[in-house]
Amino acid sequence: MQTPQLRLEESGETFTLTADVTTVGRGRSVDIALDDPSVSRLHAELVRRGEHVYVSDLGLSTNGTRVNGRPVGRRLLEDGDVLSFGACRTRVEGLSADLADDTVELRRISAPDLTRREREVLTALCRPALQQDAFVAPATARDIADELVVTEAAVKQHLLRLYVKFRIPEGVNRRARLANEVISAGVIRPLPPDVEKSIRRAG
């Protein structure tokens, strides 16, 4: 098995990911130091679990972490993924190319048990992102409340429980990080086109 590594696109410098947890940031005490003002002192972690590697944005950065251009909170990585910390672009190399099926199964196993109402809240939350190719902001608590015909306060209580279930830390863009985690884990999937059209007509 190859050793996974992170390669800086600008300089070509590479960092091997041999530790269970590799920290990334602009500070002095991190494992991978990136000299870029858009990178936070402690920006993200790269976590290795056997043959798998995932990135976890620590929610401390203003400019966030992206995989292939899309903001992420936590995301399992595949070989060739472009991983951006702020404006600093890197590429993941050395991951096995045949892990796709394992990746889906790993995400499925890690997804928590959900109530019917929690699943409805997540579906409404993620609908804007699933309807368009480009990343868009997830639905607001008010949007979800209007769709499910419940109070905004009830939606916020459900979201608080979902943050705990999916281990989304407090910080900026918490709803976006939850939506990304839910979609990445395969908990919420795009609806068939005919069903989506019916929903849009009803809206």
Side-chain angles (χ1 to χ4, degrees), residues 114-127 139 143-145 147-150 155 158-159 162 182 187-188:
L114 301 171
T115 66
R116 181 180 60 83
R117 177 59 80 182
E118 286 173 343
R119 190 170 290 276
E120 290 173 348
V121 168
L122 288 176
T123 299
L125 173 74
C126 297
R127 180 163 287 120
D143 293 335
I144 297 171
E147 179 175 331
L148 301 181
V149 196
V150 295
V155 170
H158 283 299
L159 287 173
L162 288 165
V182 167
V187 176
I188 302 299

Side-chain angles (χ1 to χ4, degrees), residues 92-156:
V92 181
E93 300 175 341
L95 291 176
S96 176
D98 59 358
L99 292 179
D101 292 340
D102 293 341
T103 297
V104 172
E105 188 61 29
L106 185 64
R107 287 172 177 163
R108 186 178 297 119
I109 291 171
S110 65
D113 292 330
L114 301 171
T115 66
R116 181 180 60 83
R117 177 59 80 182
E118 286 173 343
R119 190 170 290 276
E120 290 173 348
V121 168
L122 288 176
T123 299
L125 173 74
C126 297
R127 180 163 287 120
L130 293 174
Q131 286 179 342
Q132 299 185 31
D133 293 332
F135 182 85
V136 296
T140 65
R142 167 52 56 193
D143 293 335
I144 297 171
D146 290 344
E147 179 175 331
L148 301 181
V149 196
V150 295
T151 66
E152 189 172 351
V155 170
K156 288 180 177 179

Side-chain angles (χ1 to χ4, degrees), residues 13-167:
E13 184 179 3
T14 60
F15 301 89
T16 56
L17 306 177
T18 54
D20 289 340
V21 178
T22 301
T23 53
V24 181
R26 189 165 43 88
R28 294 181 179 179
S29 60
V30 298
D31 300 310
I32 299 178
L34 303 175
D35 186 18
D36 189 296
S38 68
V39 178
S40 297
R41 294 185 184 278
L42 182 58
H43 198 109
E45 292 178 340
L46 293 166
V47 182
R48 186 173 178 182
R49 292 290 180 264
E51 297 183 35
H52 300 279
V53 176
Y54 68 82
V55 62
S56 178
D57 183 90
L58 297 178
L60 305 173
S61 62
T62 302
N63 298 306
T65 301
R66 295 173 180 263
V67 176
N68 301 325
R70 298 189 64 159
V72 299
R74 186 174 59 183
R75 168 78 177 266
L76 209 56
L77 299 171
E78 296 181 12
D79 194 58
D81 277 346
V82 175
L83 186 53
S84 302
F85 306 100
C88 187
R89 285 166 55 95
T90 68
R91 188 175 294 273
V92 181
E93 300 175 341
L95 291 176
S96 176
D98 59 358
L99 292 179
D101 292 340
D102 293 341
T103 297
V104 172
E105 188 61 29
L106 185 64
R107 287 172 177 163
R108 186 178 297 119
I109 291 171
S110 65
D113 292 330
L114 301 171
T115 66
R116 181 180 60 83
R117 177 59 80 182
E118 286 173 343
R119 190 170 290 276
E120 290 173 348
V121 168
L122 288 176
T123 299
L125 173 74
C126 297
R127 180 163 287 120
L130 293 174
Q131 286 179 342
Q132 299 185 31
D133 293 332
F135 182 85
V136 296
T140 65
R142 167 52 56 193
D143 293 335
I144 297 171
D146 290 344
E147 179 175 331
L148 301 181
V149 196
V150 295
T151 66
E152 189 172 351
V155 170
K156 288 180 177 179
Q157 285 300 313
H158 283 299
L159 287 173
L160 287 174
R161 286 194 291 271
L162 288 165
Y163 293 144
V164 173
K165 284 191 174 186
F166 284 90
R167 299 180 183 178

